[in-house]
Amino acid sequence: MTLFAEYSQLLFMLACVFGLFMAWGIGANDVSNAMGTSVGARALTMKQAICIAMVFEFAGAYLAGGEVTETIRSGIVEMEVMARHPDLFVYGMLASLLAAGSWLLIASMLGWPVSTTHSIVGAIIGFAAVGISVDAVQWSAVWGIVGSWVITPVMAGVLSFWIFRSVQFLILNTEDPFANAKHYIPYYMFAVGFFLSMVTILKGLKYVLRERQIEFSFLEAVVIAAGIGALVAAIGIYLLSRIKQDAAADKSSRFASVERVFGVLMIFTACSMAFAHGSNDVANAIGPVAAVIAVIKSGAVEAKAPVESWVLLLGAFGIVTGLATYGYKVMLTIGKKITELTPSRGFAAEMSAAATVVIASGAGLPISTTHTLVGAVLGVGLARGIGALNISVIGGIFASWVITLPAGAGLSILFFYVLQALFS
């Protein structure tokens, strides 16, 4: 086509720049969700959280994000319709990256934890419906996304509520919290190792393993995760034996020694969640980039687009840069503004978020890391009573979730027509 013959290099450069911008937005907003609970619970300082997230997000994005990316995110658009308009498809994907990145920038500036997946999906819906045809959108998939606004936060909230209730019943509200912590925490460590291993196997490493012609069924993943959970519990028992009760600290705060134990757990959960997140959500930035590059090379829209290693590197670099430069805003919202967190409460939130990701993945539900973690933090807050929640902050977060899809769509439509006018 004339468009690709004349402007292939410029389109290629725009795809890389817009993809980097989108990845920056993921780092500034979505990555902060994984680390916000650890910061809010004071298990990690802001600098420590950023350093850990940079390492594990980068590792997850670069080592475990190399899937054969679907050019059409989540089956949102009809391939047959798109195949007839490769030029409009390229404009749309570029517009979607720019729109989603712009919305993430706005949300991050306001400290709103929004879904990067919903941002890019909303953007793709916008350009496909208005710029090409209403029939180009698979509207049934859109209703699944709307349903996930309710399903995943509620699921995570219920799980975190009962996990923290169990912590209260078995450890915190007993005569000897420290002794009971040493007795029961190995079981929680097993659960942490199990659920986070499941997240990594099912969502993080599945594409890497598939490239090596290795694929685990859900049951096989359960067996492997159970073995890892047992190993984590064994290591935990050893570490617990080395932790001594601090009587002086316990005088000022009854749970000081207990929270120190949960703090160690939170470092592990934060690292694991960051790796799983990096491996999964990097596709929101590099998927459209890979799609544009594939169309520029072939001149046709194809269902699959191979992701080259340098594109993964670009996405990983953008994510860690966004986290380091602007991630603190959303971290503060998740970790401190919704409800007061301690290591035990933060642990319950992160563990329930991981469990929700596994359950939703197994059930084939559309999920959002952001919505899941916010719902988990809300559940922990409710376990302490409705007065423990900051209702005004929660209202703003919910409003930002509802706005995300139409905001991404609106910006995408605007950028789509601008790009179309520039290259016409």
Side-chain angles (χ1 to χ4, degrees), residues 136-182:
V137 180
Q138 293 186 17
W139 293 105
S140 59
V142 177
W143 291 117
I145 292 170
V146 173
S148 76
W149 291 345
V150 178
I151 294 170
T152 51
V154 169
M155 189 184 300
V158 169
L159 281 172
S160 66
F161 177 90
W162 287 111
I163 289 170
F164 187 64
R165 279 292 195 191
S166 72
V167 170
Q168 289 177 318
F169 177 75
L170 296 173
I171 298 172
L172 300 180
N173 297 339
T174 60
E175 291 184 5
D176 192 348
F178 186 74
N180 284 313
K182 282 203 164 188

mmCIF file of all heavy atoms in Angstrom, residues 136-182:
data_model
loop_
_atom_site.group_PDB
_atom_site.id
_atom_site.type_symbol
_atom_site.label_atom_id
_atom_site.label_comp_id
_atom_site.label_asym_id
_atom_site.label_seq_id
_atom_site.Cartn_x
_atom_site.Cartn_y
_atom_site.Cartn_z
ATOM 1 N N ALA A 136 -17.509 -3.585 13.833
ATOM 2 C CA ALA A 136 -16.120 -4.007 14.041
ATOM 3 C C ALA A 136 -15.835 -4.365 15.492
ATOM 4 O O ALA A 136 -14.780 -4.910 15.808
ATOM 5 C CB ALA A 136 -15.167 -2.900 13.596
ATOM 6 N N VAL A 137 -16.780 -4.082 16.382
ATOM 7 C CA VAL A 137 -16.591 -4.342 17.819
ATOM 8 C C VAL A 137 -17.381 -5.570 18.250
ATOM 9 O O VAL A 137 -18.541 -5.742 17.877
ATOM 10 C CB VAL A 137 -17.047 -3.128 18.663
ATOM 11 C CG1 VAL A 137 -16.851 -3.405 20.159
ATOM 12 C CG2 VAL A 137 -16.280 -1.880 18.254
ATOM 13 N N GLN A 138 -16.754 -6.425 19.026
ATOM 14 C CA GLN A 138 -17.449 -7.558 19.626
ATOM 15 C C GLN A 138 -18.052 -7.079 20.949
ATOM 16 O O GLN A 138 -17.419 -7.119 21.997
ATOM 17 C CB GLN A 138 -16.489 -8.722 19.876
ATOM 18 C CG GLN A 138 -15.959 -9.360 18.610
ATOM 19 C CD GLN A 138 -15.131 -10.607 18.896
ATOM 20 O OE1 GLN A 138 -15.205 -11.174 19.985
ATOM 21 N NE2 GLN A 138 -14.345 -11.025 17.926
ATOM 22 N N TRP A 139 -19.293 -6.641 20.888
ATOM 23 C CA TRP A 139 -19.902 -5.984 22.051
ATOM 24 C C TRP A 139 -20.100 -6.923 23.232
ATOM 25 O O TRP A 139 -20.145 -6.477 24.387
ATOM 26 C CB TRP A 139 -21.227 -5.343 21.643
ATOM 27 C CG TRP A 139 -21.022 -4.203 20.687
ATOM 28 C CD1 TRP A 139 -21.252 -4.199 19.344
ATOM 29 C CD2 TRP A 139 -20.487 -2.913 20.998
ATOM 30 N NE1 TRP A 139 -20.907 -2.992 18.785
ATOM 31 C CE2 TRP A 139 -20.433 -2.177 19.777
ATOM 32 C CE3 TRP A 139 -20.049 -2.301 22.168
ATOM 33 C CZ2 TRP A 139 -19.967 -0.873 19.717
ATOM 34 C CZ3 TRP A 139 -19.585 -1.000 22.112
ATOM 35 C CH2 TRP A 139 -19.547 -0.297 20.899
ATOM 36 N N SER A 140 -20.210 -8.211 22.973
ATOM 37 C CA SER A 140 -20.363 -9.161 24.086
ATOM 38 C C SER A 140 -19.138 -9.141 24.991
ATOM 39 O O SER A 140 -19.242 -9.295 26.215
ATOM 40 C CB SER A 140 -20.591 -10.575 23.544
ATOM 41 O OG SER A 140 -19.494 -10.983 22.732
ATOM 42 N N ALA A 141 -17.960 -8.933 24.402
ATOM 43 C CA ALA A 141 -16.726 -8.855 25.205
ATOM 44 C C ALA A 141 -16.711 -7.596 26.063
ATOM 45 O O ALA A 141 -16.156 -7.587 27.164
ATOM 46 C CB ALA A 141 -15.511 -8.876 24.275
ATOM 47 N N VAL A 142 -17.334 -6.523 25.563
ATOM 48 C CA VAL A 142 -17.392 -5.281 26.335
ATOM 49 C C VAL A 142 -18.194 -5.487 27.616
ATOM 50 O O VAL A 142 -17.823 -4.999 28.692
ATOM 51 C CB VAL A 142 -18.014 -4.150 25.489
ATOM 52 C CG1 VAL A 142 -18.150 -2.872 26.312
ATOM 53 C CG2 VAL A 142 -17.167 -3.895 24.249
ATOM 54 N N TRP A 143 -19.299 -6.220 27.524
ATOM 55 C CA TRP A 143 -20.107 -6.481 28.725
ATOM 56 C C TRP A 143 -19.336 -7.309 29.738
ATOM 57 O O TRP A 143 -19.522 -7.161 30.958
ATOM 58 C CB TRP A 143 -21.411 -7.179 28.345
ATOM 59 C CG TRP A 143 -22.350 -6.292 27.588
ATOM 60 C CD1 TRP A 143 -22.798 -6.461 26.310
ATOM 61 C CD2 TRP A 143 -22.936 -5.066 28.047
ATOM 62 N NE1 TRP A 143 -23.626 -5.424 25.931
ATOM 63 C CE2 TRP A 143 -23.732 -4.544 26.991
ATOM 64 C CE3 TRP A 143 -22.866 -4.352 29.248
ATOM 65 C CZ2 TRP A 143 -24.435 -3.363 27.107
ATOM 66 C CZ3 TRP A 143 -23.584 -3.168 29.356
ATOM 67 C CH2 TRP A 143 -24.357 -2.689 28.305
ATOM 68 N N GLY A 144 -18.452 -8.165 29.240
ATOM 69 C CA GLY A 144 -17.605 -8.925 30.165
ATOM 70 C C GLY A 144 -16.680 -8.016 30.950
ATOM 71 O O GLY A 144 -16.431 -8.234 32.148
ATOM 72 N N ILE A 145 -16.177 -6.978 30.292
ATOM 73 C CA ILE A 145 -15.311 -6.012 30.970
ATOM 74 C C ILE A 145 -16.093 -5.238 32.020
ATOM 75 O O ILE A 145 -15.639 -5.040 33.151
ATOM 76 C CB ILE A 145 -14.688 -5.043 29.940
ATOM 77 C CG1 ILE A 145 -13.699 -5.793 29.055
ATOM 78 C CG2 ILE A 145 -13.988 -3.880 30.638
ATOM 79 C CD1 ILE A 145 -13.209 -4.992 27.876
ATOM 80 N N VAL A 146 -17.291 -4.798 31.648
ATOM 81 C CA VAL A 146 -18.130 -4.068 32.606
ATOM 82 C C VAL A 146 -18.425 -4.953 33.828
ATOM 83 O O VAL A 146 -18.376 -4.492 34.975
ATOM 84 C CB VAL A 146 -19.444 -3.618 31.935
ATOM 85 C CG1 VAL A 146 -20.395 -3.018 32.964
ATOM 86 C CG2 VAL A 146 -19.152 -2.600 30.836
ATOM 87 N N GLY A 147 -18.689 -6.233 33.570
ATOM 88 C CA GLY A 147 -18.947 -7.158 34.673
ATOM 89 C C GLY A 147 -17.753 -7.312 35.597
ATOM 90 O O GLY A 147 -17.904 -7.478 36.809
ATOM 91 N N SER A 148 -16.556 -7.223 35.021
ATOM 92 C CA SER A 148 -15.348 -7.389 35.836
ATOM 93 C C SER A 148 -15.149 -6.237 36.806
ATOM 94 O O SER A 148 -14.459 -6.375 37.814
ATOM 95 C CB SER A 148 -14.105 -7.509 34.930
ATOM 96 O OG SER A 148 -13.722 -6.249 34.411
ATOM 97 N N TRP A 149 -15.757 -5.069 36.516
ATOM 98 C CA TRP A 149 -15.682 -3.951 37.460
ATOM 99 C C TRP A 149 -16.282 -4.341 38.805
ATOM 100 O O TRP A 149 -15.885 -3.834 39.844
ATOM 101 C CB TRP A 149 -16.453 -2.747 36.930
ATOM 102 C CG TRP A 149 -15.843 -2.082 35.748
ATOM 103 C CD1 TRP A 149 -14.571 -2.238 35.264
ATOM 104 C CD2 TRP A 149 -16.483 -1.146 34.869
ATOM 105 N NE1 TRP A 149 -14.377 -1.463 34.151
ATOM 106 C CE2 TRP A 149 -15.537 -0.780 33.883
ATOM 107 C CE3 TRP A 149 -17.757 -0.587 34.820
ATOM 108 C CZ2 TRP A 149 -15.822 0.117 32.862
ATOM 109 C CZ3 TRP A 149 -18.043 0.306 33.808
ATOM 110 C CH2 TRP A 149 -17.095 0.658 32.845
ATOM 111 N N VAL A 150 -17.263 -5.232 38.772
ATOM 112 C CA VAL A 150 -17.943 -5.644 39.997
ATOM 113 C C VAL A 150 -17.369 -6.951 40.527
ATOM 114 O O VAL A 150 -17.077 -7.085 41.720
ATOM 115 C CB VAL A 150 -19.463 -5.812 39.745
ATOM 116 C CG1 VAL A 150 -20.170 -6.297 41.002
ATOM 117 C CG2 VAL A 150 -20.067 -4.494 39.263
ATOM 118 N N ILE A 151 -17.174 -7.915 39.630
ATOM 119 C CA ILE A 151 -16.816 -9.276 40.048
ATOM 120 C C ILE A 151 -15.468 -9.333 40.760
ATOM 121 O O ILE A 151 -15.360 -9.860 41.875
ATOM 122 C CB ILE A 151 -16.803 -10.227 38.829
ATOM 123 C CG1 ILE A 151 -18.218 -10.376 38.267
ATOM 124 C CG2 ILE A 151 -16.255 -11.598 39.222
ATOM 125 C CD1 ILE A 151 -18.274 -11.086 36.929
ATOM 126 N N THR A 152 -14.416 -8.783 40.127
ATOM 127 C CA THR A 152 -13.081 -8.950 40.715
ATOM 128 C C THR A 152 -12.872 -8.188 42.017
ATOM 129 O O THR A 152 -12.306 -8.742 42.961
ATOM 130 C CB THR A 152 -11.973 -8.603 39.693
ATOM 131 O OG1 THR A 152 -12.237 -7.328 39.109
ATOM 132 C CG2 THR A 152 -11.880 -9.640 38.618
ATOM 133 N N PRO A 153 -13.330 -6.923 42.145
ATOM 134 C CA PRO A 153 -13.151 -6.270 43.447
ATOM 135 C C PRO A 153 -13.926 -6.951 44.562
ATOM 136 O O PRO A 153 -13.430 -7.077 45.688
ATOM 137 C CB PRO A 153 -13.670 -4.838 43.208
ATOM 138 C CG PRO A 153 -13.658 -4.641 41.753
ATOM 139 C CD PRO A 153 -13.888 -5.990 41.151
ATOM 140 N N VAL A 154 -15.144 -7.397 44.235
ATOM 141 C CA VAL A 154 -15.954 -8.062 45.265
ATOM 142 C C VAL A 154 -15.306 -9.374 45.689
ATOM 143 O O VAL A 154 -15.208 -9.697 46.879
ATOM 144 C CB VAL A 154 -17.392 -8.310 44.750
ATOM 145 C CG1 VAL A 154 -18.149 -9.236 45.690
ATOM 146 C CG2 VAL A 154 -18.129 -6.984 44.610
ATOM 147 N N MET A 155 -14.832 -10.144 44.705
ATOM 148 C CA MET A 155 -14.181 -11.419 45.002
ATOM 149 C C MET A 155 -12.954 -11.212 45.884
ATOM 150 O O MET A 155 -12.768 -11.887 46.910
ATOM 151 C CB MET A 155 -13.775 -12.118 43.695
ATOM 152 C CG MET A 155 -13.281 -13.549 43.872
ATOM 153 S SD MET A 155 -12.702 -14.265 42.303
ATOM 154 C CE MET A 155 -14.176 -14.191 41.301
ATOM 155 N N ALA A 156 -12.104 -10.252 45.502
ATOM 156 C CA ALA A 156 -10.896 -9.976 46.282
ATOM 157 C C ALA A 156 -11.245 -9.420 47.650
ATOM 158 O O ALA A 156 -10.599 -9.753 48.658
ATOM 159 C CB ALA A 156 -10.001 -8.988 45.527
ATOM 160 N N GLY A 157 -12.272 -8.564 47.708
ATOM 161 C CA GLY A 157 -12.674 -7.980 48.978
ATOM 162 C C GLY A 157 -13.174 -9.025 49.958
ATOM 163 O O GLY A 157 -12.829 -9.005 51.147
ATOM 164 N N VAL A 158 -13.988 -9.946 49.456
ATOM 165 C CA VAL A 158 -14.511 -11.020 50.325
ATOM 166 C C VAL A 158 -13.374 -11.898 50.835
ATOM 167 O O VAL A 158 -13.303 -12.244 52.028
ATOM 168 C CB VAL A 158 -15.552 -11.867 49.559
ATOM 169 C CG1 VAL A 158 -15.903 -13.127 50.341
ATOM 170 C CG2 VAL A 158 -16.808 -11.043 49.284
ATOM 171 N N LEU A 159 -12.445 -12.278 49.937
ATOM 172 C CA LEU A 159 -11.320 -13.112 50.346
ATOM 173 C C LEU A 159 -10.434 -12.411 51.378
ATOM 174 O O LEU A 159 -10.060 -12.996 52.396
ATOM 175 C CB LEU A 159 -10.480 -13.505 49.131
ATOM 176 C CG LEU A 159 -11.014 -14.637 48.259
ATOM 177 C CD1 LEU A 159 -10.165 -14.771 47.010
ATOM 178 C CD2 LEU A 159 -11.011 -15.948 49.025
ATOM 179 N N SER A 160 -10.096 -11.139 51.122
ATOM 180 C CA SER A 160 -9.223 -10.421 52.059
ATOM 181 C C SER A 160 -9.906 -10.216 53.402
ATOM 182 O O SER A 160 -9.264 -10.263 54.456
ATOM 183 C CB SER A 160 -8.789 -9.076 51.474
ATOM 184 O OG SER A 160 -9.880 -8.197 51.331
ATOM 185 N N PHE A 161 -11.223 -9.989 53.365
ATOM 186 C CA PHE A 161 -11.989 -9.839 54.609
ATOM 187 C C PHE A 161 -11.836 -11.073 55.478
ATOM 188 O O PHE A 161 -11.508 -10.983 56.673
ATOM 189 C CB PHE A 161 -13.467 -9.606 54.265
ATOM 190 C CG PHE A 161 -14.375 -9.497 55.473
ATOM 191 C CD1 PHE A 161 -14.619 -8.268 56.048
ATOM 192 C CD2 PHE A 161 -14.987 -10.626 56.010
ATOM 193 C CE1 PHE A 161 -15.459 -8.156 57.158
ATOM 194 C CE2 PHE A 161 -15.820 -10.532 57.110
ATOM 195 C CZ PHE A 161 -16.056 -9.294 57.687
ATOM 196 N N TRP A 162 -12.029 -12.261 54.879
ATOM 197 C CA TRP A 162 -11.976 -13.493 55.669
ATOM 198 C C TRP A 162 -10.548 -13.904 56.012
ATOM 199 O O TRP A 162 -10.307 -14.493 57.070
ATOM 200 C CB TRP A 162 -12.714 -14.617 54.947
ATOM 201 C CG TRP A 162 -14.202 -14.423 54.998
ATOM 202 C CD1 TRP A 162 -15.026 -14.114 53.962
ATOM 203 C CD2 TRP A 162 -15.020 -14.458 56.167
ATOM 204 N NE1 TRP A 162 -16.312 -13.966 54.406
ATOM 205 C CE2 TRP A 162 -16.347 -14.186 55.752
ATOM 206 C CE3 TRP A 162 -14.783 -14.716 57.514
ATOM 207 C CZ2 TRP A 162 -17.415 -14.137 56.643
ATOM 208 C CZ3 TRP A 162 -15.847 -14.676 58.412
ATOM 209 C CH2 TRP A 162 -17.139 -14.390 57.973
ATOM 210 N N ILE A 163 -9.593 -13.573 55.135
ATOM 211 C CA ILE A 163 -8.192 -13.862 55.474
ATOM 212 C C ILE A 163 -7.775 -13.050 56.696
ATOM 213 O O ILE A 163 -7.177 -13.574 57.641
ATOM 214 C CB ILE A 163 -7.254 -13.569 54.284
ATOM 215 C CG1 ILE A 163 -7.451 -14.604 53.175
ATOM 216 C CG2 ILE A 163 -5.786 -13.582 54.732
ATOM 217 C CD1 ILE A 163 -6.744 -14.253 51.888
ATOM 218 N N PHE A 164 -8.123 -11.755 56.693
ATOM 219 C CA PHE A 164 -7.748 -10.922 57.841
ATOM 220 C C PHE A 164 -8.538 -11.301 59.082
ATOM 221 O O PHE A 164 -8.019 -11.248 60.201
ATOM 222 C CB PHE A 164 -7.930 -9.438 57.518
ATOM 223 C CG PHE A 164 -7.396 -8.544 58.600
ATOM 224 C CD1 PHE A 164 -6.041 -8.541 58.903
ATOM 225 C CD2 PHE A 164 -8.243 -7.730 59.329
ATOM 226 C CE1 PHE A 164 -5.532 -7.740 59.920
ATOM 227 C CE2 PHE A 164 -7.749 -6.917 60.336
ATOM 228 C CZ PHE A 164 -6.397 -6.924 60.635
ATOM 229 N N ARG A 165 -9.794 -11.690 58.905
ATOM 230 C CA ARG A 165 -10.573 -12.186 60.046
ATOM 231 C C ARG A 165 -9.903 -13.404 60.671
ATOM 232 O O ARG A 165 -9.870 -13.560 61.894
ATOM 233 C CB ARG A 165 -11.989 -12.553 59.588
ATOM 234 C CG ARG A 165 -12.944 -11.379 59.459
ATOM 235 C CD ARG A 165 -13.274 -10.788 60.797
ATOM 236 N NE ARG A 165 -14.431 -9.907 60.735
ATOM 237 C CZ ARG A 165 -14.819 -9.108 61.703
ATOM 238 N NH1 ARG A 165 -14.096 -9.046 62.810
ATOM 239 N NH2 ARG A 165 -15.871 -8.348 61.581
ATOM 240 N N SER A 166 -9.376 -14.284 59.820
ATOM 241 C CA SER A 166 -8.698 -15.476 60.353
ATOM 242 C C SER A 166 -7.430 -15.087 61.101
ATOM 243 O O SER A 166 -7.100 -15.679 62.132
ATOM 244 C CB SER A 166 -8.378 -16.452 59.213
ATOM 245 O OG SER A 166 -7.328 -15.967 58.395
ATOM 246 N N VAL A 167 -6.718 -14.061 60.583
ATOM 247 C CA VAL A 167 -5.531 -13.562 61.279
ATOM 248 C C VAL A 167 -5.922 -12.999 62.641
ATOM 249 O O VAL A 167 -5.247 -13.237 63.655
ATOM 250 C CB VAL A 167 -4.814 -12.484 60.430
ATOM 251 C CG1 VAL A 167 -3.722 -11.798 61.247
ATOM 252 C CG2 VAL A 167 -4.222 -13.103 59.176
ATOM 253 N N GLN A 168 -7.024 -12.259 62.675
ATOM 254 C CA GLN A 168 -7.495 -11.715 63.956
ATOM 255 C C GLN A 168 -7.853 -12.823 64.924
ATOM 256 O O GLN A 168 -7.484 -12.787 66.106
ATOM 257 C CB GLN A 168 -8.715 -10.815 63.718
ATOM 258 C CG GLN A 168 -8.400 -9.490 63.039
ATOM 259 C CD GLN A 168 -9.660 -8.682 62.770
ATOM 260 O OE1 GLN A 168 -10.688 -9.231 62.352
ATOM 261 N NE2 GLN A 168 -9.587 -7.387 63.008
ATOM 262 N N PHE A 169 -8.583 -13.825 64.435
ATOM 263 C CA PHE A 169 -9.079 -14.893 65.298
ATOM 264 C C PHE A 169 -7.945 -15.798 65.793
ATOM 265 O O PHE A 169 -7.891 -16.172 66.974
ATOM 266 C CB PHE A 169 -10.114 -15.734 64.536
ATOM 267 C CG PHE A 169 -10.647 -16.904 65.312
ATOM 268 C CD1 PHE A 169 -11.564 -16.726 66.338
ATOM 269 C CD2 PHE A 169 -10.219 -18.199 65.029
ATOM 270 C CE1 PHE A 169 -12.051 -17.808 67.065
ATOM 271 C CE2 PHE A 169 -10.695 -19.286 65.742
ATOM 272 C CZ PHE A 169 -11.619 -19.087 66.767
ATOM 273 N N LEU A 170 -7.026 -16.157 64.891
ATOM 274 C CA LEU A 170 -5.978 -17.119 65.241
ATOM 275 C C LEU A 170 -4.769 -16.476 65.925
ATOM 276 O O LEU A 170 -4.077 -17.139 66.709
ATOM 277 C CB LEU A 170 -5.505 -17.856 63.981
ATOM 278 C CG LEU A 170 -6.538 -18.742 63.279
ATOM 279 C CD1 LEU A 170 -5.982 -19.256 61.960
ATOM 280 C CD2 LEU A 170 -6.950 -19.901 64.175
ATOM 281 N N ILE A 171 -4.507 -15.194 65.622
ATOM 282 C CA ILE A 171 -3.256 -14.585 66.092
ATOM 283 C C ILE A 171 -3.473 -13.305 66.896
ATOM 284 O O ILE A 171 -3.107 -13.227 68.077
ATOM 285 C CB ILE A 171 -2.323 -14.296 64.892
ATOM 286 C CG1 ILE A 171 -1.955 -15.605 64.183
ATOM 287 C CG2 ILE A 171 -1.053 -13.581 65.355
ATOM 288 C CD1 ILE A 171 -1.192 -15.416 62.882
ATOM 289 N N LEU A 172 -4.061 -12.303 66.278
ATOM 290 C CA LEU A 172 -4.072 -10.970 66.879
ATOM 291 C C LEU A 172 -4.936 -10.880 68.133
ATOM 292 O O LEU A 172 -4.530 -10.259 69.129
ATOM 293 C CB LEU A 172 -4.533 -9.928 65.845
ATOM 294 C CG LEU A 172 -3.671 -9.811 64.581
ATOM 295 C CD1 LEU A 172 -4.234 -8.747 63.647
ATOM 296 C CD2 LEU A 172 -2.217 -9.476 64.942
ATOM 297 N N ASN A 173 -6.115 -11.473 68.113
ATOM 298 C CA ASN A 173 -7.039 -11.362 69.251
ATOM 299 C C ASN A 173 -6.903 -12.537 70.214
ATOM 300 O O ASN A 173 -7.892 -13.083 70.705
ATOM 301 C CB ASN A 173 -8.491 -11.250 68.753
ATOM 302 C CG ASN A 173 -8.721 -10.004 67.925
ATOM 303 O OD1 ASN A 173 -7.964 -9.043 68.016
ATOM 304 N ND2 ASN A 173 -9.770 -10.010 67.125
ATOM 305 N N THR A 174 -5.679 -12.945 70.489
ATOM 306 C CA THR A 174 -5.421 -14.041 71.429
ATOM 307 C C THR A 174 -4.547 -13.539 72.576
ATOM 308 O O THR A 174 -4.010 -12.430 72.531
ATOM 309 C CB THR A 174 -4.708 -15.208 70.716
ATOM 310 O OG1 THR A 174 -3.456 -14.752 70.188
ATOM 311 C CG2 THR A 174 -5.568 -15.755 69.581
ATOM 312 N N GLU A 175 -4.400 -14.349 73.599
ATOM 313 C CA GLU A 175 -3.619 -13.942 74.774
ATOM 314 C C GLU A 175 -2.130 -13.839 74.458
ATOM 315 O O GLU A 175 -1.426 -13.004 75.023
ATOM 316 C CB GLU A 175 -3.844 -14.931 75.923
ATOM 317 C CG GLU A 175 -5.257 -14.872 76.504
ATOM 318 C CD GLU A 175 -5.401 -15.790 77.706
ATOM 319 O OE1 GLU A 175 -4.380 -16.390 78.135
ATOM 320 O OE2 GLU A 175 -6.524 -15.906 78.220
ATOM 321 N N ASP A 176 -1.635 -14.693 73.565
ATOM 322 C CA ASP A 176 -0.212 -14.674 73.220
ATOM 323 C C ASP A 176 -0.064 -14.597 71.692
ATOM 324 O O ASP A 176 0.177 -15.618 71.031
ATOM 325 C CB ASP A 176 0.473 -15.930 73.766
ATOM 326 C CG ASP A 176 1.998 -15.838 73.690
ATOM 327 O OD1 ASP A 176 2.504 -14.913 73.006
ATOM 328 O OD2 ASP A 176 2.680 -16.689 74.295
ATOM 329 N N PRO A 177 -0.209 -13.391 71.103
ATOM 330 C CA PRO A 177 -0.170 -13.255 69.644
ATOM 331 C C PRO A 177 1.129 -13.756 69.018
ATOM 332 O O PRO A 177 1.101 -14.372 67.948
ATOM 333 C CB PRO A 177 -0.334 -11.741 69.423
ATOM 334 C CG PRO A 177 -0.983 -11.244 70.658
ATOM 335 C CD PRO A 177 -0.465 -12.106 71.770
ATOM 336 N N PHE A 178 2.264 -13.518 69.680
ATOM 337 C CA PHE A 178 3.542 -13.892 69.086
ATOM 338 C C PHE A 178 3.687 -15.408 68.983
ATOM 339 O O PHE A 178 4.112 -15.936 67.949
ATOM 340 C CB PHE A 178 4.699 -13.313 69.911
ATOM 341 C CG PHE A 178 6.046 -13.534 69.277
ATOM 342 C CD1 PHE A 178 6.446 -12.795 68.172
ATOM 343 C CD2 PHE A 178 6.919 -14.495 69.780
ATOM 344 C CE1 PHE A 178 7.686 -13.003 67.584
ATOM 345 C CE2 PHE A 178 8.161 -14.715 69.195
ATOM 346 C CZ PHE A 178 8.540 -13.956 68.092
ATOM 347 N N ALA A 179 3.310 -16.114 70.056
ATOM 348 C CA ALA A 179 3.391 -17.584 70.039
ATOM 349 C C ALA A 179 2.463 -18.163 68.986
ATOM 350 O O ALA A 179 2.823 -19.094 68.249
ATOM 351 C CB ALA A 179 3.044 -18.148 71.415
ATOM 352 N N ASN A 180 1.253 -17.612 68.895
ATOM 353 C CA ASN A 180 0.311 -18.093 67.892
ATOM 354 C C ASN A 180 0.761 -17.740 66.474
ATOM 355 O O ASN A 180 0.508 -18.492 65.532
ATOM 356 C CB ASN A 180 -1.080 -17.508 68.163
ATOM 357 C CG ASN A 180 -1.772 -18.194 69.328
ATOM 358 O OD1 ASN A 180 -1.795 -19.420 69.406
ATOM 359 N ND2 ASN A 180 -2.303 -17.423 70.256
ATOM 360 N N ALA A 181 1.447 -16.590 66.337
ATOM 361 C CA ALA A 181 1.985 -16.229 65.032
ATOM 362 C C ALA A 181 2.998 -17.262 64.569
ATOM 363 O O ALA A 181 2.997 -17.689 63.404
ATOM 364 C CB ALA A 181 2.620 -14.840 65.098
ATOM 365 N N LYS A 182 3.880 -17.673 65.477
ATOM 366 C CA LYS A 182 4.882 -18.685 65.122
ATOM 367 C C LYS A 182 4.232 -20.014 64.750
ATOM 368 O O LYS A 182 4.750 -20.766 63.930
ATOM 369 C CB LYS A 182 5.856 -18.880 66.293
ATOM 370 C CG LYS A 182 6.912 -17.782 66.403
ATOM 371 C CD LYS A 182 8.120 -18.299 67.161
ATOM 372 C CE LYS A 182 9.317 -17.400 66.971
ATOM 373 N NZ LYS A 182 10.548 -17.971 67.535
#
